[in-house]
Amino acid sequence: MQRRDFITGTAAALATMAASVGPASPVQAQTVAAPIRVRMITGEGDLILELATGQAPLTTANFLRYMDTGRYDRSSIYRAVKAPGAPDYGLVQGGARMLAGKQIAPVAHESTTQTGLRHTDGVISLAREAPGTGTSDFFICVGDAPYLDANPAAPGDNLGYAAFGRIVEGMDIVRRILNLPTSDMAEVPSMRGQMLARPVPILTTRRA
């Protein structure tokens, strides 16, 4: 699967989420900066995020710019994608992309081969189309999703997505959002059945 197909709505590869890739090496773990914790208050409850500032400095700085300037306030989690045949696996997506005037210039892509992070259960990652086009939107993995990691041996766009943190409290809320009703309406046809009928509001996002 081309990685950009994920953003345009293709969910078939979600069925491969069972495998997991190991964490960063001990050498990396000894040299990275301390993570930053963030509280995201949503209409379904609070999420505590731990951002990997040392391993993914560009992507976390991008997220913090949106947060510190209030751009995530009154945005939403608007998409829920379930793995075919495995409804307990998938992802939820949110951000401020749909709000006019909220976007900052795109951030350079930090692949998982650079950061040592992996798309495992609870990981938060930056949504994108082509590499280096990520802005405000993010997604949270429900279950392990190794196919979203960079794979230099794969053809085409093989840079994966830029993981930059994880949910440390509130995965029960993320799983509840994954199972909220969706709509058959979508601006992108391939996303039909994935857009939440009632997007979950993001009320505020602040440093915890």
Side-chain angles (χ1 to χ4, degrees), residues 82-101:
K82 292 184 179 180
D88 294 332
Y89 287 79
L91 57 89
V92 302
Q93 183 173 336
R97 185 174 61 179
M98 295 182 176
L99 301 179

Side-chain angles (χ1 to χ4, degrees), residues 42-78:
T42 80
E44 289 289 326
D46 294 7
L47 307 178
I48 303 296
L49 287 59
E50 188 172 83
L51 307 184
T53 53
Q55 292 157 290
L58 299 179
T59 315
T60 53
N62 176 74
F63 184 91
L64 291 169
R65 278 195 297 271
Y66 278 96
M67 183 189 75
D68 290 339
T69 55
R71 285 172 163 85
Y72 284 129
D73 296 356
R74 296 175 297 281
S75 63
S76 66
I77 298 171
Y78 57 81

Side-chain angles (χ1 to χ4, degrees), residues 42-194:
T42 80
E44 289 289 326
D46 294 7
L47 307 178
I48 303 296
L49 287 59
E50 188 172 83
L51 307 184
T53 53
Q55 292 157 290
L58 299 179
T59 315
T60 53
N62 176 74
F63 184 91
L64 291 169
R65 278 195 297 271
Y66 278 96
M67 183 189 75
D68 290 339
T69 55
R71 285 172 163 85
Y72 284 129
D73 296 356
R74 296 175 297 281
S75 63
S76 66
I77 298 171
Y78 57 81
R79 186 179 177 208
V81 187
K82 292 184 179 180
D88 294 332
Y89 287 79
L91 57 89
V92 302
Q93 183 173 336
R97 185 174 61 179
M98 295 182 176
L99 301 179
K102 292 281 188 177
Q103 302 308 303
I104 301 172
V107 63
H109 182 64
E110 288 181 306
S111 75
T112 53
T113 54
Q114 293 175 265
T115 64
L117 302 172
R118 298 291 183 264
H119 288 88
T120 54
D121 184 44
V123 159
I124 182 170
S125 191
L126 189 67
R128 70 169 178 87
E129 293 180 355
T133 61
T135 54
S136 74
D137 281 25
F138 58 85
F139 61 90
I140 300 168
C141 296
V142 182
D144 296 342
Y147 81 95
L148 297 176
D149 296 336
N151 180 4
D157 178 359
N158 59 19
L159 295 179
Y161 290 85
F164 64 95
R166 62 192 181 97
I167 304 296
V168 294
E169 293 181 28
M171 274 305 292
D172 56 328
I173 294 166
V174 176
R175 291 186 175 91
R176 185 161 69 240
I177 294 172
L178 180 66
N179 287 289
L180 291 176
T182 56
S183 171
D184 289 333
M185 303 297 292
E187 291 185 9
V188 178
S190 56
M191 290 187 183
R192 288 174 183 163
Q194 300 176 0

